[in-house]
Amino acid sequence: MTTLETHGEQHLTTAATHEHGWIVESSHPVSTGHVLYVRCVDCGTRRVDLQDHRHPAPVALTRELP
Ligand SMILES: [Zn+2]
């Protein structure tokens, strides 16, 4: 007989499961557009985006940095 136990240890994954609300902390111009330093207002995760002037949406340059 097998006993399966599940423990509720999901509380550390909150930052990875919510939808980040990015704000731009700073930016500077580069040859292809602007580099945006963004931070999630909810969990403080940081990321660097490239806002290419030829494309409307920023592209993430880095993974999310907790
Ligand atoms: Zn977040």
Side-chain angles (χ1 to χ4, degrees), residues 4-42:
L4 293 175
E5 292 187 36
T6 54
H7 297 282
E9 296 181 355
Q10 299 298 314
H11 57 281
L12 292 177
T13 63
T14 303
T17 55
H18 78 259
E19 185 160 350
H20 296 300
W22 301 113
I23 59 168
V24 179
E25 287 195 312
S26 63
S27 66
H28 69 255
V30 293
S31 60
T32 54
H34 283 79
V35 170
L36 308 177
Y37 297 86
V38 299
R39 183 172 58 86
C40 176
V41 294
D42 291 327

